[in-house]
Amino acid sequence: MLGRRVRNVMNLLELVMQNFCEVCNSDLRYSCALYSTGSTNYTELPRKLKKSERKPWVTSVNELKRKARLLKKDKQLARERILRPPENGLLVKELIPVAHEVYAARAKLISCVSRVVQSITLYSCSVCGEVHVGGPPHKIRTCNMIGSLANKEHSWRIGGMENVFPLVESFHLYDRLGRAVSHNEQLLVDRIPAIVELCIQGGVDIPEYPTRRRTFPAYSIAGKIIDFERRFPKEEDAPGKDITTGGFWERRKNLGENEESTDLNSNDLKGIAIQGMEAWKKMQSGATKLMQKYAVHTCGYCPEVQVGPRGHRVRNCQAYKHQMRDGQHAWQEATVDDLVPPVYVWHVRDKQSGEPLVNNLKRYYGMLPAVVELFAQSGVHVGDDYAGLMREDVAVPDVDEEKWVV
């Protein structure tokens, strides 16, 4: 008797829960229809890491340990291990055109951004460094740094090109298979943009920054790199032959700005932005292809980047627990966002309205990389690559309508 009553109660409870879920789902679909006009899958931005958190691993730790065990076992055997380009010092032939394409795309991108910035105002927060493209600047209270205002609003000032296209530098390596840059050599080795160093190692020749091009491959015997060209160098490969002795003040310039003459019409702002958008996509995709073969390392706690098979040994890390590492960096595999970091800004849909983005409606606004947002405000169609970030299918309510949206 008691068991039958328990079964009846359980059946009633299951029926009530089923009806409740149906009502909730219908209400949720109705509330979403109030502000959603499409079925775009939203793309969430990477979570902002705390100072004590390490960057996500590109390759899992277990996979890295497995490769390290195999490499250690291979070193114990006195036998030759066949190296493939670029591990043996030779270039990957099929990626040489890609390196030239990335280098040319970066030059055109810098030219296009510098021209568009003259027509569209950029703002940068003097406290936290957040960037806003176009005017007026937004009123979203996300400034949570030491020295910010009590209401967490940003302290805006006029920004420049360095705010939308930040420079990430790397030590230039004359021989990518040579030893890493030591701490005492940090002032003797040139630092150039990391994307340019990647192109140089991929096959681009720049007279100001010579690099060694091998004809014969290097060999790995019992875990040690044996380079026969270094033991028996050719006359044309004598060190210092093509290196200029001029100071860095004679050679220091923004690489890529004047390398090719970009024909840009100052009156056609949209045409310039279209060329810039194409250059941005080419640079991103080309750098991704190069990084699949040419190793790039980044610090797990700070933005330092080193292009090459290993990280440098300069003790200049000031990130979390750098004292335990004696100031050295915690090197790990880098991504294209470490090489060319995208500065995400709030997306402005209607720049003609003249009304700033407000804090109460920030969950309805989308975001874009600053370079893409700059070109989007110039009249360029962004495309489907950033549709999940823009949230163009979400109808932004008015401030007095926000309380009716669930």
Side-chain angles (χ1 to χ4, degrees):
M1 187 69 179
L2 181 61
R4 186 171 58 183
R5 290 184 178 180
V6 170
R7 286 196 298 270
N8 293 335
V9 171
M10 293 298 296
N11 294 334
L12 290 175
L13 181 61
E14 184 180 356
L15 182 61
V16 170
M17 291 299 297
Q18 182 178 359
N19 295 333
F20 177 75
C21 291
E22 292 179 356
V23 172
C24 290
N25 291 335
S26 62
D27 292 342
L28 182 61
R29 287 192 297 267
Y30 175 73
S31 61
C32 291
L34 291 177
Y35 61 92
S36 178
T37 59
S39 59
T40 304
N41 295 325
Y42 299 140
T43 303
E44 296 293 337
L45 294 178
R47 183 177 62 87
K48 188 175 181 180
L49 301 177
K50 300 178 182 179
K51 292 183 178 181
S52 60
E53 291 182 315
R54 185 166 184 157
K55 298 177 183 176
W57 295 91
V58 179
T59 306
S60 64
V61 179
N62 293 333
E63 180 67 17
L64 293 176
K65 291 181 179 179
R66 187 188 67 83
K67 292 181 179 180
R69 287 193 297 266
L70 294 178
L71 183 60
K72 183 179 179 180
K73 185 182 298 184
D74 186 71
K75 287 182 179 180
Q76 296 175 354
L77 302 176
R79 62 183 180 87
E80 178 184 351
R81 185 167 64 93
I82 299 177
L83 300 179
R84 302 292 182 184
E87 294 180 355
N88 57 4
L90 302 181
L91 295 176
V92 183
K93 295 183 179 181
E94 58 269 18
L95 291 181
I96 296 178
V98 178
H100 285 270
E101 181 179 321
V102 172
Y103 186 72
R106 179 183 178 273
K108 178 168 288 187
L109 178 64
I110 292 176
S111 301
C112 294
V113 171
S114 60
R115 297 292 293 273
V116 175
V117 163
Q118 299 176 2
S119 302
I120 298 179
T121 308
L122 296 177
Y123 295 92
S124 175
C125 180
S126 59
V127 179
C128 66
E130 183 165 339
V131 180
H132 181 78
V133 179
H138 66 75
K139 300 294 183 180
I140 301 176
R141 298 191 292 269
T142 54
C143 188
N144 192 16
M145 300 287 290
I146 298 176
S148 60
L149 300 177
N151 57 0
K152 297 183 180 181
E153 287 191 0
H154 297 278
S155 301
W156 297 110
R157 58 179 176 83
I158 300 298
M161 179 178 171
E162 65 278 1
N163 298 117
V164 299
F165 196 71
L167 179 63
V168 177
E169 292 185 330
S170 171
F171 284 107
H172 171 60
L173 303 180
Y174 172 73
D175 186 3
R176 67 182 308 271
L177 293 187
R179 60 183 179 83
V181 179
S182 64
H183 182 74
N184 296 330
E185 295 174 338
Q186 59 178 323
L187 299 180
L188 303 178
V189 183
D190 290 322
R191 286 181 65 86
I192 63 176
I195 186 71
V196 177
E197 176 64 17
L198 180 63
C199 295
I200 292 176
Q201 295 188 16
V204 177
D205 294 323
I206 301 178
E208 292 83 1
Y209 300 98
T211 186
R212 184 178 181 182
R213 304 298 187 193
R214 286 179 170 81
T215 307
F216 299 98
Y219 299 90
S220 175
I221 301 177
K224 295 183 179 180
I225 301 296
I226 306 299
D227 187 3
F228 291 101
E229 286 190 1
R230 184 178 299 174
R231 294 173 179 266
F232 308 99
K234 297 180 293 184
E235 295 182 357
E236 58 268 18
D237 290 340
K241 178 174 179 281
D242 298 328
I243 300 178
T244 59
T245 58
F248 69 92
W249 53 87
E250 297 179 1
R251 297 184 283 114
R252 190 68 171 176
K253 63 180 180 178
N254 293 329
L255 293 177
E257 291 187 8
N258 301 321
E259 297 299 331
E260 69 170 19
S261 57
T262 306
D263 186 15
L264 300 177
N265 186 7
S266 59
N267 298 326
D268 187 12
L269 183 63
K270 184 177 180 180
I272 296 174
I274 292 176
Q275 297 182 36
M277 181 67 73
E278 294 176 354
W280 169 261
K281 294 180 179 180
K282 287 182 180 179
M283 187 183 69
Q284 291 277 80
S285 60
T288 303
K289 294 179 182 178
L290 290 175
M291 292 176 66
Q292 293 177 356
K293 291 292 185 179
Y294 294 90
V296 182
H297 293 84
T298 182
C299 180
Y301 298 98
C302 76
E304 183 72 11
V305 170
Q306 179 59 53
V307 182
R310 65 186 66 86
H312 61 74
R313 298 176 182 174
V314 180
R315 300 187 297 270
N316 58 357
C317 184
Q318 299 295 328
Y320 177 70
K321 288 188 178 181
H322 63 89
Q323 300 90 344
M324 301 181 62
R325 304 188 302 271
D326 195 17
Q328 295 189 8
H329 298 278
W331 296 111
Q332 65 182 49
E333 185 180 356
T335 62
V336 68
D337 288 342
D338 298 315
L339 200 67
V340 186
V343 180
Y344 288 99
V345 299
W346 294 99
H347 173 53
V348 180
R349 300 185 188 178
D350 187 11
K351 64 177 183 178
Q352 304 296 336
S353 63
E355 297 180 358
L357 305 180
V358 296
N359 184 70
N360 295 338
L361 304 179
K362 62 181 179 181
R363 63 172 177 160
Y364 304 102
Y365 301 139
M367 302 191 77
L368 282 178
V371 175
V372 181
E373 175 66 16
L374 189 68
F375 295 146
Q377 294 195 21
S378 303
V380 177
H381 177 66
V382 176
D384 298 334
D385 296 338
Y386 300 98
L389 291 174
M390 295 175 64
R391 297 191 178 185
E392 286 286 349
D393 64 331
V394 175
V396 180
D398 294 333
V399 178
D400 55 347
E401 299 175 348
E402 193 269 338
K403 61 181 179 180
W404 300 108
V405 180
V406 179

